[in-house]
Amino acid sequence: MKIGFIGLGNMGAPMAANLVKAGHDVTGFDMVAKPDGIPLATSAAAAAKDADIVITMLPNGAILRTVAAEIHAVMKAGVLHLDCSTVDVDSARDVAQSAENAKVLAMDAPVSGGIGGASAGTLTFMAGGTKAGFAMAKALFDIMGQKAVHCGPSGNGQAAKICNNMILGVTMIATCEAFNLADKLGLDRQAMFDVVSTSSGASWSMNAYCPAPNIGPKSPADNDYTPGFAAELMLKDLRLSQMAAEATDADTPMGAAATALYKTFVEDEGGLGRDFSAMLPRFSARSRKDS
Ligand code: NAD
């Protein structure tokens, strides 16, 4: 398949590399990055022009809208624009409308699994768009990921992503504050893990990504909280969840609290560039009067 790939950053470069490795004819474009092993075009439009599928993996909705306007103008009728960026639901739906106007199929398919999943080809895709678009993308999902769920019409992939990550942000904070309380109560961290990971407090944050160093499966906590999933990316996704909650009048008090905590952590407390599980040492360093 002839694939245009726009946005070759931390996620896009290894995803594109996996498509090249699988034998696809990939042409990439990035404003800054020039990764080895991926044939490059000189503009987004040039990468998109003759492609059967154009994938975008960009930082935010505003940039996606700009790139989409540029590529939809030159894409062939009936081909697919597969956007894997994490963006707000409104941008995803507007870009899908722009594609439809240009007789291009559109699918929003944000991912879970991070840089490790992008390199290993084990991402999970949450896809929004038509059945025809999903069918066209399926072979590529199978190369870049281990699972793809069709969540409904355009925007629903982004909806699934921000709901999932709102749960993740909230459960990580809950897990970290509970570890801190356990520490204060004199409860051994290994005992805390052994009980909670097999009890009703279990979650992915505890069981698979334990924020306490040297407890549970290997996680960024074991590597001095080097990301992994950086706190500022969690803040981005939480902000998207709160934008969506405002737009739909959904009551999300825990999501709002998690957003406020990660904002302070990233902007004022040294969380920038640290893994999002570094909330645990943050709690450990504080007392109740600090809240
Ligand atoms: P990144 O910043 O490393 O990569 C984005 C790339 O887009 C950069 O190389 C940048 O130069 C390029 N770019 C910006 N504007 C452009 C334009 N107009 N034309 C062409 N290229 C342009 O970000 P990333 O970590 O690769 O993340 C990409 C997306 O995936 C984001 O939406 C992010 O939220 C999402 N995501 C990231 C992770 C992660 O762990 N990094 C996990 C899941 C989802």
Side-chain angles (χ1 to χ4, degrees):
M1 214 181 287
K2 214 168 158 28
I3 300 167
F5 204 119
I6 299 162
L8 300 168
N10 290 321
M11 295 291 289
M15 291 164 73
N18 282 333
L19 296 173
V20 171
K21 213 188 301 165
H24 287 292
D25 177 5
V26 179
T27 304
F29 175 71
D30 190 292
M31 295 246 288
V32 179
K34 307 268 178 275
D36 290 337
I38 302 164
L40 297 175
T42 51
S43 70
K49 198 168 171 295
D50 299 319
D52 305 310
I53 295 189
V54 179
I55 301 175
T56 45
M57 193 52 168
L58 295 162
N60 59 49
I63 292 174
L64 171 65
R65 284 169 187 265
T66 308
V67 170
E70 199 187 328
I71 62 175
H72 292 170
V74 298
M75 285 170 73
K76 296 184 291 187
V79 304
L80 176 67
H81 174 194
L82 177 65
D83 176 49
C84 298
S85 328
T86 303
V87 303
D88 57 288
V89 176
D90 284 349
S91 290
R93 291 190 172 145
D94 289 350
V95 163
Q97 186 59 54
S98 151
E100 196 181 320
N101 296 346
K103 301 198 168 20
V104 164
L105 294 175
M107 174 134 294
D108 53 291
V111 303
S112 173
I115 298 165
S119 297
T122 56
L123 295 168
T124 295
F125 290 86
M126 301 150 236
T130 59
K131 280 191 178 144
F134 189 76
M136 277 175 83
K138 183 78 176 65
L140 304 191
F141 288 151
D142 289 344
I143 294 165
M144 298 185 289
Q146 60 182 353
K147 190 169 174 66
V149 180
H150 190 195
C151 302
S154 291
N156 281 25
Q158 300 295 348
K161 166 88 187 177
I162 58 175
C163 289
N164 180 74
N165 279 21
M166 188 171 80
I167 295 171
L168 177 61
V170 168
T171 57
M172 180 54 80
I173 291 170
T175 303
C176 291
E177 68 180 33
F179 259 120
N180 183 44
L181 175 60
D183 288 344
K184 304 261 176 183
L185 292 168
L187 179 59
D188 178 66
R189 285 184 169 182
Q190 185 66 53
M192 169 80 175
F193 175 83
D194 290 346
V195 171
V196 174
S197 64
T198 53
S199 299
S200 44
S203 71
W204 187 86
S205 296
M206 175 61 90
N207 293 35
Y209 205 93
C210 183
N214 305 316
I215 309 278
K218 204 156 177 43
S219 71
D222 304 332
N223 190 23
D224 200 23
Y225 298 99
T226 303
F229 185 41
E232 60 270 26
L233 289 178
M234 172 49 82
L235 176 59
K236 171 191 171 179
D237 292 356
L238 285 167
R239 281 181 163 141
L240 290 176
S241 78
Q242 295 313 288
M243 273 170 69
E246 265 169 42
T248 55
D249 192 25
D251 189 21
T252 56
M254 302 299 287
T259 308
L261 271 167
Y262 273 105
K263 179 177 186 298
T264 310
F265 184 50
V266 167
E267 293 179 358
D268 305 324
E269 296 173 348
L272 185 70
R274 303 194 81 195
D275 190 74
F276 83 118
S277 60
M279 270 286 163
L280 176 52
R282 175 209 179 261
F283 278 116
S284 301
R286 296 164 63 88
S287 68
R288 286 180 76 76
K289 68 175 167 34
D290 296 321
S291 284

PDB file of all heavy atoms in Angstrom, residues 152-191:
ATOM      1  N   GLY A 152     -17.388   3.594  16.976  1.00  0.00           N
ATOM      2  CA  GLY A 152     -18.552   4.297  16.447  1.00  0.00           C
ATOM      3  C   GLY A 152     -18.131   5.366  15.463  1.00  0.00           C
ATOM      4  O   GLY A 152     -17.035   5.301  14.896  1.00  0.00           O
ATOM      5  N   PRO A 153     -18.981   6.381  15.251  1.00  0.00           N
ATOM      6  CA  PRO A 153     -18.690   7.386  14.219  1.00  0.00           C
ATOM      7  C   PRO A 153     -17.533   8.314  14.592  1.00  0.00           C
ATOM      8  O   PRO A 153     -16.986   8.231  15.701  1.00  0.00           O
ATOM      9  CB  PRO A 153     -20.012   8.168  14.125  1.00  0.00           C
ATOM     10  CG  PRO A 153     -20.729   7.891  15.377  1.00  0.00           C
ATOM     11  CD  PRO A 153     -20.287   6.551  15.866  1.00  0.00           C
ATOM     12  N   SER A 154     -17.204   9.213  13.687  1.00  0.00           N
ATOM     13  CA  SER A 154     -16.056  10.113  13.858  1.00  0.00           C
ATOM     14  C   SER A 154     -16.086  10.830  15.204  1.00  0.00           C
ATOM     15  O   SER A 154     -17.125  11.331  15.628  1.00  0.00           O
ATOM     16  CB  SER A 154     -16.037  11.156  12.743  1.00  0.00           C
ATOM     17  OG  SER A 154     -15.728  10.534  11.536  1.00  0.00           O
ATOM     18  N   GLY A 155     -14.952  10.891  15.853  1.00  0.00           N
ATOM     19  CA  GLY A 155     -14.823  11.528  17.167  1.00  0.00           C
ATOM     20  C   GLY A 155     -14.904  10.528  18.298  1.00  0.00           C
ATOM     21  O   GLY A 155     -14.400  10.794  19.401  1.00  0.00           O
ATOM     22  N   ASN A 156     -15.504   9.360  18.040  1.00  0.00           N
ATOM     23  CA  ASN A 156     -15.683   8.403  19.139  1.00  0.00           C
ATOM     24  C   ASN A 156     -14.388   7.729  19.572  1.00  0.00           C
ATOM     25  O   ASN A 156     -14.275   7.272  20.707  1.00  0.00           O
ATOM     26  CB  ASN A 156     -16.722   7.335  18.756  1.00  0.00           C
ATOM     27  CG  ASN A 156     -18.132   7.858  18.895  1.00  0.00           C
ATOM     28  OD1 ASN A 156     -18.353   9.072  18.825  1.00  0.00           O
ATOM     29  ND2 ASN A 156     -19.090   6.977  19.098  1.00  0.00           N
ATOM     30  N   GLY A 157     -13.398   7.680  18.670  1.00  0.00           N
ATOM     31  CA  GLY A 157     -12.088   7.177  19.077  1.00  0.00           C
ATOM     32  C   GLY A 157     -11.484   8.113  20.119  1.00  0.00           C
ATOM     33  O   GLY A 157     -11.000   7.675  21.174  1.00  0.00           O
ATOM     34  N   GLN A 158     -11.547   9.428  19.833  1.00  0.00           N
ATOM     35  CA  GLN A 158     -11.032  10.417  20.805  1.00  0.00           C
ATOM     36  C   GLN A 158     -11.834  10.372  22.101  1.00  0.00           C
ATOM     37  O   GLN A 158     -11.280  10.532  23.196  1.00  0.00           O
ATOM     38  CB  GLN A 158     -11.080  11.827  20.205  1.00  0.00           C
ATOM     39  CG  GLN A 158     -10.270  12.020  18.939  1.00  0.00           C
ATOM     40  CD  GLN A 158      -8.768  11.853  19.137  1.00  0.00           C
ATOM     41  OE1 GLN A 158      -8.269  11.799  20.270  1.00  0.00           O
ATOM     42  NE2 GLN A 158      -8.043  11.761  18.043  1.00  0.00           N
ATOM     43  N   ALA A 159     -13.146  10.167  21.981  1.00  0.00           N
ATOM     44  CA  ALA A 159     -13.985  10.099  23.186  1.00  0.00           C
ATOM     45  C   ALA A 159     -13.529   8.941  24.077  1.00  0.00           C
ATOM     46  O   ALA A 159     -13.371   9.093  25.300  1.00  0.00           O
ATOM     47  CB  ALA A 159     -15.459   9.931  22.790  1.00  0.00           C
ATOM     48  N   ALA A 160     -13.278   7.776  23.460  1.00  0.00           N
ATOM     49  CA  ALA A 160     -12.832   6.609  24.232  1.00  0.00           C
ATOM     50  C   ALA A 160     -11.478   6.875  24.880  1.00  0.00           C
ATOM     51  O   ALA A 160     -11.248   6.541  26.047  1.00  0.00           O
ATOM     52  CB  ALA A 160     -12.752   5.385  23.315  1.00  0.00           C
ATOM     53  N   LYS A 161     -10.599   7.506  24.125  1.00  0.00           N
ATOM     54  CA  LYS A 161      -9.242   7.770  24.630  1.00  0.00           C
ATOM     55  C   LYS A 161      -9.276   8.689  25.865  1.00  0.00           C
ATOM     56  O   LYS A 161      -8.629   8.405  26.878  1.00  0.00           O
ATOM     57  CB  LYS A 161      -8.423   8.422  23.516  1.00  0.00           C
ATOM     58  CG  LYS A 161      -7.121   9.055  23.922  1.00  0.00           C
ATOM     59  CD  LYS A 161      -5.974   8.099  23.917  1.00  0.00           C
ATOM     60  CE  LYS A 161      -4.726   8.750  24.495  1.00  0.00           C
ATOM     61  NZ  LYS A 161      -3.598   7.884  24.585  1.00  0.00           N
ATOM     62  N   ILE A 162     -10.033   9.781  25.791  1.00  0.00           N
ATOM     63  CA  ILE A 162      -9.999  10.713  26.925  1.00  0.00           C
ATOM     64  C   ILE A 162     -10.748  10.153  28.130  1.00  0.00           C
ATOM     65  O   ILE A 162     -10.387  10.447  29.271  1.00  0.00           O
ATOM     66  CB  ILE A 162     -10.477  12.135  26.560  1.00  0.00           C
ATOM     67  CG1 ILE A 162     -11.883  12.139  26.011  1.00  0.00           C
ATOM     68  CG2 ILE A 162      -9.496  12.816  25.636  1.00  0.00           C
ATOM     69  CD1 ILE A 162     -12.406  13.547  25.751  1.00  0.00           C
ATOM     70  N   CYS A 163     -11.787   9.334  27.885  1.00  0.00           N
ATOM     71  CA  CYS A 163     -12.459   8.699  29.034  1.00  0.00           C
ATOM     72  C   CYS A 163     -11.512   7.712  29.695  1.00  0.00           C
ATOM     73  O   CYS A 163     -11.395   7.666  30.926  1.00  0.00           O
ATOM     74  CB  CYS A 163     -13.740   7.990  28.590  1.00  0.00           C
ATOM     75  SG  CYS A 163     -15.041   9.139  28.124  1.00  0.00           S
ATOM     76  N   ASN A 164     -10.805   6.906  28.886  1.00  0.00           N
ATOM     77  CA  ASN A 164      -9.842   5.948  29.449  1.00  0.00           C
ATOM     78  C   ASN A 164      -8.775   6.686  30.253  1.00  0.00           C
ATOM     79  O   ASN A 164      -8.459   6.311  31.386  1.00  0.00           O
ATOM     80  CB  ASN A 164      -9.179   5.145  28.321  1.00  0.00           C
ATOM     81  CG  ASN A 164      -8.172   4.151  28.872  1.00  0.00           C
ATOM     82  OD1 ASN A 164      -8.558   3.128  29.439  1.00  0.00           O
ATOM     83  ND2 ASN A 164      -6.893   4.450  28.750  1.00  0.00           N
ATOM     84  N   ASN A 165      -8.225   7.750  29.675  1.00  0.00           N
ATOM     85  CA  ASN A 165      -7.117   8.411  30.361  1.00  0.00           C
ATOM     86  C   ASN A 165      -7.573   9.247  31.548  1.00  0.00           C
ATOM     87  O   ASN A 165      -6.792   9.502  32.461  1.00  0.00           O
ATOM     88  CB  ASN A 165      -6.290   9.224  29.359  1.00  0.00           C
ATOM     89  CG  ASN A 165      -5.339   8.315  28.613  1.00  0.00           C
ATOM     90  OD1 ASN A 165      -5.567   7.102  28.547  1.00  0.00           O
ATOM     91  ND2 ASN A 165      -4.274   8.851  28.051  1.00  0.00           N
ATOM     92  N   MET A 166      -8.845   9.652  31.560  1.00  0.00           N
ATOM     93  CA  MET A 166      -9.361  10.303  32.770  1.00  0.00           C
ATOM     94  C   MET A 166      -9.391   9.277  33.912  1.00  0.00           C
ATOM     95  O   MET A 166      -8.984   9.581  35.050  1.00  0.00           O
ATOM     96  CB  MET A 166     -10.749  10.890  32.516  1.00  0.00           C
ATOM     97  CG  MET A 166     -11.248  11.749  33.662  1.00  0.00           C
ATOM     98  SD  MET A 166     -12.766  12.631  33.259  1.00  0.00           S
ATOM     99  CE  MET A 166     -13.984  11.368  33.499  1.00  0.00           C
ATOM    100  N   ILE A 167      -9.822   8.054  33.612  1.00  0.00           N
ATOM    101  CA  ILE A 167      -9.802   6.995  34.638  1.00  0.00           C
ATOM    102  C   ILE A 167      -8.361   6.741  35.091  1.00  0.00           C
ATOM    103  O   ILE A 167      -8.074   6.632  36.291  1.00  0.00           O
ATOM    104  CB  ILE A 167     -10.409   5.676  34.090  1.00  0.00           C
ATOM    105  CG1 ILE A 167     -11.889   5.850  33.783  1.00  0.00           C
ATOM    106  CG2 ILE A 167     -10.195   4.531  35.077  1.00  0.00           C
ATOM    107  CD1 ILE A 167     -12.522   4.665  33.046  1.00  0.00           C
ATOM    108  N   LEU A 168      -7.439   6.697  34.123  1.00  0.00           N
ATOM    109  CA  LEU A 168      -6.034   6.422  34.453  1.00  0.00           C
ATOM    110  C   LEU A 168      -5.457   7.494  35.375  1.00  0.00           C
ATOM    111  O   LEU A 168      -4.782   7.175  36.357  1.00  0.00           O
ATOM    112  CB  LEU A 168      -5.229   6.331  33.145  1.00  0.00           C
ATOM    113  CG  LEU A 168      -3.728   6.116  33.272  1.00  0.00           C
ATOM    114  CD1 LEU A 168      -3.421   4.803  33.977  1.00  0.00           C
ATOM    115  CD2 LEU A 168      -3.079   6.139  31.893  1.00  0.00           C
ATOM    116  N   GLY A 169      -5.705   8.769  35.063  1.00  0.00           N
ATOM    117  CA  GLY A 169      -5.189   9.853  35.895  1.00  0.00           C
ATOM    118  C   GLY A 169      -5.740   9.773  37.309  1.00  0.00           C
ATOM    119  O   GLY A 169      -5.006   9.915  38.301  1.00  0.00           O
ATOM    120  N   VAL A 170      -7.029   9.520  37.403  1.00  0.00           N
ATOM    121  CA  VAL A 170      -7.680   9.459  38.717  1.00  0.00           C
ATOM    122  C   VAL A 170      -7.166   8.254  39.514  1.00  0.00           C
ATOM    123  O   VAL A 170      -6.830   8.379  40.706  1.00  0.00           O
ATOM    124  CB  VAL A 170      -9.224   9.392  38.545  1.00  0.00           C
ATOM    125  CG1 VAL A 170      -9.904   9.042  39.854  1.00  0.00           C
ATOM    126  CG2 VAL A 170      -9.747  10.719  37.986  1.00  0.00           C
ATOM    127  N   THR A 171      -7.068   7.092  38.864  1.00  0.00           N
ATOM    128  CA  THR A 171      -6.630   5.898  39.618  1.00  0.00           C
ATOM    129  C   THR A 171      -5.160   5.991  39.999  1.00  0.00           C
ATOM    130  O   THR A 171      -4.767   5.488  41.048  1.00  0.00           O
ATOM    131  CB  THR A 171      -6.865   4.579  38.840  1.00  0.00           C
ATOM    132  OG1 THR A 171      -6.207   4.640  37.587  1.00  0.00           O
ATOM    133  CG2 THR A 171      -8.337   4.304  38.646  1.00  0.00           C
ATOM    134  N   MET A 172      -4.344   6.650  39.144  1.00  0.00           N
ATOM    135  CA  MET A 172      -2.931   6.793  39.538  1.00  0.00           C
ATOM    136  C   MET A 172      -2.822   7.665  40.782  1.00  0.00           C
ATOM    137  O   MET A 172      -2.082   7.335  41.722  1.00  0.00           O
ATOM    138  CB  MET A 172      -2.108   7.382  38.376  1.00  0.00           C
ATOM    139  CG  MET A 172      -0.629   7.554  38.720  1.00  0.00           C
ATOM    140  SD  MET A 172       0.162   6.037  39.334  1.00  0.00           S
ATOM    141  CE  MET A 172       0.479   5.174  37.800  1.00  0.00           C
ATOM    142  N   ILE A 173      -3.557   8.771  40.819  1.00  0.00           N
ATOM    143  CA  ILE A 173      -3.508   9.634  42.009  1.00  0.00           C
ATOM    144  C   ILE A 173      -4.016   8.865  43.222  1.00  0.00           C
ATOM    145  O   ILE A 173      -3.402   8.897  44.302  1.00  0.00           O
ATOM    146  CB  ILE A 173      -4.332  10.919  41.779  1.00  0.00           C
ATOM    147  CG1 ILE A 173      -3.632  11.795  40.742  1.00  0.00           C
ATOM    148  CG2 ILE A 173      -4.523  11.676  43.085  1.00  0.00           C
ATOM    149  CD1 ILE A 173      -4.468  12.967  40.244  1.00  0.00           C
ATOM    150  N   ALA A 174      -5.127   8.149  43.071  1.00  0.00           N
ATOM    151  CA  ALA A 174      -5.692   7.395  44.195  1.00  0.00           C
ATOM    152  C   ALA A 174      -4.694   6.350  44.698  1.00  0.00           C
ATOM    153  O   ALA A 174      -4.511   6.174  45.918  1.00  0.00           O
ATOM    154  CB  ALA A 174      -6.998   6.724  43.768  1.00  0.00           C
ATOM    155  N   THR A 175      -4.018   5.686  43.767  1.00  0.00           N
ATOM    156  CA  THR A 175      -3.048   4.656  44.141  1.00  0.00           C
ATOM    157  C   THR A 175      -1.870   5.288  44.891  1.00  0.00           C
ATOM    158  O   THR A 175      -1.410   4.761  45.916  1.00  0.00           O
ATOM    159  CB  THR A 175      -2.556   3.924  42.869  1.00  0.00           C
ATOM    160  OG1 THR A 175      -3.690   3.380  42.203  1.00  0.00           O
ATOM    161  CG2 THR A 175      -1.585   2.815  43.197  1.00  0.00           C
ATOM    162  N   CYS A 176      -1.406   6.450  44.398  1.00  0.00           N
ATOM    163  CA  CYS A 176      -0.259   7.120  45.031  1.00  0.00           C
ATOM    164  C   CYS A 176      -0.627   7.644  46.413  1.00  0.00           C
ATOM    165  O   CYS A 176       0.148   7.509  47.371  1.00  0.00           O
ATOM    166  CB  CYS A 176       0.243   8.257  44.145  1.00  0.00           C
ATOM    167  SG  CYS A 176       1.020   7.677  42.626  1.00  0.00           S
ATOM    168  N   GLU A 177      -1.800   8.235  46.552  1.00  0.00           N
ATOM    169  CA  GLU A 177      -2.141   8.767  47.883  1.00  0.00           C
ATOM    170  C   GLU A 177      -2.381   7.636  48.875  1.00  0.00           C
ATOM    171  O   GLU A 177      -2.065   7.766  50.063  1.00  0.00           O
ATOM    172  CB  GLU A 177      -3.274   9.797  47.834  1.00  0.00           C
ATOM    173  CG  GLU A 177      -4.638   9.287  47.476  1.00  0.00           C
ATOM    174  CD  GLU A 177      -5.697  10.416  47.468  1.00  0.00           C
ATOM    175  OE1 GLU A 177      -5.388  11.565  47.138  1.00  0.00           O
ATOM    176  OE2 GLU A 177      -6.849  10.111  47.798  1.00  0.00           O
ATOM    177  N   ALA A 178      -2.885   6.498  48.375  1.00  0.00           N
ATOM    178  CA  ALA A 178      -3.075   5.352  49.266  1.00  0.00           C
ATOM    179  C   ALA A 178      -1.735   4.758  49.695  1.00  0.00           C
ATOM    180  O   ALA A 178      -1.559   4.376  50.865  1.00  0.00           O
ATOM    181  CB  ALA A 178      -3.933   4.290  48.581  1.00  0.00           C
ATOM    182  N   PHE A 179      -0.756   4.690  48.792  1.00  0.00           N
ATOM    183  CA  PHE A 179       0.591   4.232  49.178  1.00  0.00           C
ATOM    184  C   PHE A 179       1.163   5.152  50.257  1.00  0.00           C
ATOM    185  O   PHE A 179       1.798   4.705  51.215  1.00  0.00           O
ATOM    186  CB  PHE A 179       1.537   4.237  47.964  1.00  0.00           C
ATOM    187  CG  PHE A 179       1.760   2.876  47.364  1.00  0.00           C
ATOM    188  CD1 PHE A 179       1.420   2.626  46.044  1.00  0.00           C
ATOM    189  CD2 PHE A 179       2.327   1.840  48.103  1.00  0.00           C
ATOM    190  CE1 PHE A 179       1.622   1.375  45.471  1.00  0.00           C
ATOM    191  CE2 PHE A 179       2.534   0.582  47.543  1.00  0.00           C
ATOM    192  CZ  PHE A 179       2.183   0.344  46.227  1.00  0.00           C
ATOM    193  N   ASN A 180       0.966   6.465  50.076  1.00  0.00           N
ATOM    194  CA  ASN A 180       1.505   7.416  51.051  1.00  0.00           C
ATOM    195  C   ASN A 180       0.854   7.228  52.417  1.00  0.00           C
ATOM    196  O   ASN A 180       1.536   7.239  53.448  1.00  0.00           O
ATOM    197  CB  ASN A 180       1.289   8.840  50.528  1.00  0.00           C
ATOM    198  CG  ASN A 180       1.895   9.879  51.444  1.00  0.00           C
ATOM    199  OD1 ASN A 180       3.016   9.722  51.917  1.00  0.00           O
ATOM    200  ND2 ASN A 180       1.147  10.934  51.721  1.00  0.00           N
ATOM    201  N   LEU A 181      -0.461   7.015  52.410  1.00  0.00           N
ATOM    202  CA  LEU A 181      -1.148   6.758  53.683  1.00  0.00           C
ATOM    203  C   LEU A 181      -0.637   5.457  54.301  1.00  0.00           C
ATOM    204  O   LEU A 181      -0.362   5.396  55.510  1.00  0.00           O
ATOM    205  CB  LEU A 181      -2.666   6.696  53.450  1.00  0.00           C
ATOM    206  CG  LEU A 181      -3.517   6.310  54.667  1.00  0.00           C
ATOM    207  CD1 LEU A 181      -3.334   7.300  55.827  1.00  0.00           C
ATOM    208  CD2 LEU A 181      -5.003   6.228  54.274  1.00  0.00           C
ATOM    209  N   ALA A 182      -0.466   4.427  53.471  1.00  0.00           N
ATOM    210  CA  ALA A 182       0.045   3.135  53.967  1.00  0.00           C
ATOM    211  C   ALA A 182       1.417   3.318  54.596  1.00  0.00           C
ATOM    212  O   ALA A 182       1.696   2.766  55.681  1.00  0.00           O
ATOM    213  CB  ALA A 182       0.101   2.133  52.813  1.00  0.00           C
ATOM    214  N   ASP A 183       2.283   4.111  53.937  1.00  0.00           N
ATOM    215  CA  ASP A 183       3.619   4.393  54.499  1.00  0.00           C
ATOM    216  C   ASP A 183       3.482   4.994  55.897  1.00  0.00           C
ATOM    217  O   ASP A 183       4.157   4.589  56.847  1.00  0.00           O
ATOM    218  CB  ASP A 183       4.376   5.402  53.618  1.00  0.00           C
ATOM    219  CG  ASP A 183       4.836   4.821  52.289  1.00  0.00           C
ATOM    220  OD1 ASP A 183       4.847   3.578  52.140  1.00  0.00           O
ATOM    221  OD2 ASP A 183       5.172   5.627  51.390  1.00  0.00           O
ATOM    222  N   LYS A 184       2.586   5.976  56.016  1.00  0.00           N
ATOM    223  CA  LYS A 184       2.435   6.689  57.305  1.00  0.00           C
ATOM    224  C   LYS A 184       1.896   5.762  58.389  1.00  0.00           C
ATOM    225  O   LYS A 184       2.137   5.970  59.581  1.00  0.00           O
ATOM    226  CB  LYS A 184       1.472   7.882  57.143  1.00  0.00           C
ATOM    227  CG  LYS A 184       1.892   8.855  56.064  1.00  0.00           C
ATOM    228  CD  LYS A 184       2.602  10.061  56.617  1.00  0.00           C
ATOM    229  CE  LYS A 184       3.055  10.923  55.458  1.00  0.00           C
ATOM    230  NZ  LYS A 184       3.802  12.080  55.789  1.00  0.00           N
ATOM    231  N   LEU A 185       1.128   4.744  57.930  1.00  0.00           N
ATOM    232  CA  LEU A 185       0.555   3.799  58.894  1.00  0.00           C
ATOM    233  C   LEU A 185       1.516   2.660  59.223  1.00  0.00           C
ATOM    234  O   LEU A 185       1.179   1.761  59.993  1.00  0.00           O
ATOM    235  CB  LEU A 185      -0.751   3.211  58.323  1.00  0.00           C
ATOM    236  CG  LEU A 185      -1.910   4.207  58.188  1.00  0.00           C
ATOM    237  CD1 LEU A 185      -3.041   3.606  57.360  1.00  0.00           C
ATOM    238  CD2 LEU A 185      -2.412   4.623  59.556  1.00  0.00           C
ATOM    239  N   GLY A 186       2.697   2.686  58.594  1.00  0.00           N
ATOM    240  CA  GLY A 186       3.688   1.643  58.876  1.00  0.00           C
ATOM    241  C   GLY A 186       3.442   0.349  58.120  1.00  0.00           C
ATOM    242  O   GLY A 186       3.942  -0.710  58.510  1.00  0.00           O
ATOM    243  N   LEU A 187       2.670   0.428  57.025  1.00  0.00           N
ATOM    244  CA  LEU A 187       2.388  -0.771  56.236  1.00  0.00           C
ATOM    245  C   LEU A 187       3.469  -0.923  55.170  1.00  0.00           C
ATOM    246  O   LEU A 187       3.756   0.023  54.430  1.00  0.00           O
ATOM    247  CB  LEU A 187       1.012  -0.604  55.575  1.00  0.00           C
ATOM    248  CG  LEU A 187       0.476  -1.704  54.679  1.00  0.00           C
ATOM    249  CD1 LEU A 187       0.369  -3.024  55.428  1.00  0.00           C
ATOM    250  CD2 LEU A 187      -0.909  -1.299  54.149  1.00  0.00           C
ATOM    251  N   ASP A 188       4.056  -2.094  55.123  1.00  0.00           N
ATOM    252  CA  ASP A 188       5.101  -2.389  54.141  1.00  0.00           C
ATOM    253  C   ASP A 188       4.552  -2.262  52.713  1.00  0.00           C
ATOM    254  O   ASP A 188       3.435  -2.716  52.430  1.00  0.00           O
ATOM    255  CB  ASP A 188       5.577  -3.822  54.419  1.00  0.00           C
ATOM    256  CG  ASP A 188       6.621  -4.269  53.446  1.00  0.00           C
ATOM    257  OD1 ASP A 188       7.705  -3.694  53.462  1.00  0.00           O
ATOM    258  OD2 ASP A 188       6.317  -5.189  52.646  1.00  0.00           O
ATOM    259  N   ARG A 189       5.327  -1.641  51.809  1.00  0.00           N
ATOM    260  CA  ARG A 189       4.826  -1.402  50.444  1.00  0.00           C
ATOM    261  C   ARG A 189       4.568  -2.713  49.687  1.00  0.00           C
ATOM    262  O   ARG A 189       3.628  -2.794  48.909  1.00  0.00           O
ATOM    263  CB  ARG A 189       5.808  -0.530  49.653  1.00  0.00           C
ATOM    264  CG  ARG A 189       5.738   0.931  50.076  1.00  0.00           C
ATOM    265  CD  ARG A 189       6.641   1.807  49.209  1.00  0.00           C
ATOM    266  NE  ARG A 189       6.350   3.220  49.459  1.00  0.00           N
ATOM    267  CZ  ARG A 189       6.949   4.224  48.829  1.00  0.00           C
ATOM    268  NH1 ARG A 189       7.880   3.985  47.911  1.00  0.00           N
ATOM    269  NH2 ARG A 189       6.628   5.472  49.104  1.00  0.00           N
ATOM    270  N   GLN A 190       5.404  -3.713  49.929  1.00  0.00           N
ATOM    271  CA  GLN A 190       5.187  -4.992  49.247  1.00  0.00           C
ATOM    272  C   GLN A 190       3.872  -5.614  49.724  1.00  0.00           C
ATOM    273  O   GLN A 190       3.093  -6.143  48.921  1.00  0.00           O
ATOM    274  CB  GLN A 190       6.367  -5.945  49.516  1.00  0.00           C
ATOM    275  CG  GLN A 190       6.277  -7.255  48.749  1.00  0.00           C
ATOM    276  CD  GLN A 190       6.390  -7.071  47.233  1.00  0.00           C
ATOM    277  OE1 GLN A 190       7.338  -6.454  46.753  1.00  0.00           O
ATOM    278  NE2 GLN A 190       5.419  -7.579  46.481  1.00  0.00           N
ATOM    279  N   ALA A 191       3.615  -5.526  51.028  1.00  0.00           N
ATOM    280  CA  ALA A 191       2.358  -6.087  51.568  1.00  0.00           C
ATOM    281  C   ALA A 191       1.169  -5.315  51.006  1.00  0.00           C
ATOM    282  O   ALA A 191       0.140  -5.898  50.626  1.00  0.00           O
ATOM    283  CB  ALA A 191       2.370  -6.019  53.093  1.00  0.00           C
TER     284      ALA A 191
END
